[in-house]
Amino acid sequence: MTEKGISIGVVGCGYWGPLLVRNFVNLPNCTVAAVCDANEARLKHVGGLYPSIQCVTDYNKLFADFDLDAIVIATPVKSHYPLAKASLLAGKHTFIEKPMAASSAECEELISLAESRGLTLLVDHTFLYSAAVRKIVEIVEAGDIGDIRYINSRRLNLGLFQKDINVAWDLAPHDISIILHVLGELPISVNCQGNAHVTPQVEDVTNMSLMFRHKRFATIQSSWLEPRKIREMTIVGSRRMIVYDDLQTHEKIRVYDVRVERPPHYDTFAEFQYSYHYGDSYIPHLHQEEPLKAVCQHFLECIETGVAPMTGGRAGFELVRILEAASASLKANGAPISFLRPLDQLAFHDTGAPIKAGTASFAG
Ligand SMILES: NC(=O)c1ccc[n+]([C@@H]2O[C@H](COP(=O)([O-])OP(=O)(O)OC[C@H]3O[C@@H](n4cnc5c(N)ncnc54)[C@H](O)[C@@H]3O)[C@@H](O)[C@H]2O)c1
């Protein structure tokens, strides 16, 4: 680390990489020393925006020629593992975009590498750093909505079609990370159905279900084939319900005081009546900040303090394991895939990345 703070290199200057570059450039305790992209046109674009940043096309050069403390990986999923492995082997703290890697075996290897070298490994599950999701977790933990019965999430719009991953691997990581965080537990099984309408073998529409203990479940609809953009999640509790619409600028969360109850007992059918409750709904105030800025800041804090990231390798692994199960289910026409290997039998001992909110080291 120099007097300019943590020295960073960013690999991947496509759609998402430049947003990471902008956020790191604007943070006080770091310097973006160099960026790398195999595509010269994308490099030129970022180099034009930030003339002081060095540009290279070969990531080996990035690791070798600059005295970097940390590497940020914003390339397509299949390259996450080789790039992250090279970064960790070179002794760099590593930030990987979601999903962490193309398989859970790759994730496990990366976690072990980071652990054995004492390096920070953060996976960008961006939404967990957003004001809206933090507020939802606060409401749930305060017991305001009662026991969560189910969660339904829809993330739909027309394209950006990916060639190497299906829509579930592209869009559902956001929903899965939020759902695991809000419920504070991992699913016991996953099933997924879908269809590839445009690119053969690459599903552009999927419906995923996650089953949890005590009959709780979550459904996630993902689509690149939808006329309207929808980013909506409904959390149904026994006392209240939350609707989270991420496309709203100011009123992203609405809490509805509605519920329906069955009478505890009745003697005749005439006495039987469901009891519907309709109370006021309210819109909690959110202190808005760009979630990506919060992730970048958290990465730097973890490097400086040695604290485990809120979304470390383990959170990345758990998410990829769910995506793998979803792919297996797609192949089996939607059959449920159960998790046979309990998490406590894993080879690595990542003490960070708590799935349960509240125990997280991220202060926000
Ligand atoms: N957290 C979020 O909300 C969010 C949003 C969008 C994308 N992402 C993630 O960001 C990552 C990148 O997505 P994108 O949409 O920017 O992709 P993209 O295709 O637009 O850009 C990827 C860039 O990486 C470059 N690249 C690929 N392999 C390389 C290599 N080996 N060396 C150097 N450069 C290489 C490509 O030339 C390209 O410019 C993905 O993992 C994606 O899931 C995350």
Side-chain angles (χ1 to χ4, degrees), residues 11-12 14-16 36-39 42 74-76 80 97-98 124 126 174:
V11 195
Y15 161 57
W16 199 246
C36 168
D37 200 297
N39 180 331
R42 293 309 303 164
T75 56
H80 288 184
E97 260 312 322
K98 63 79 195 164
D124 181 16
T126 324
H174 297 309

Side-chain angles (χ1 to χ4, degrees), residues 10-20 36-40 42-43 56-59 73-80 82-83 95-100 124-127 160 162 165 169-171 173-174 292 295:
V10 179
V11 195
C13 300
Y15 161 57
W16 199 246
L19 305 187
L20 288 158
C36 168
D37 200 297
N39 180 331
E40 300 254 11
R42 293 309 303 164
L43 263 188
V56 293
T57 49
D58 178 0
Y59 72 85
I73 299 167
T75 56
V77 182
K78 66 175 184 312
S79 58
H80 288 184
L83 287 169
F95 176 120
I96 314 179
E97 260 312 322
K98 63 79 195 164
M100 180 175 171
D124 181 16
H125 293 171
T126 324
F127 278 87
L160 290 167
Q162 309 284 331
I165 50 169
W169 281 73
D170 183 35
L171 298 183
H174 297 309
L292 203 55
V295 193

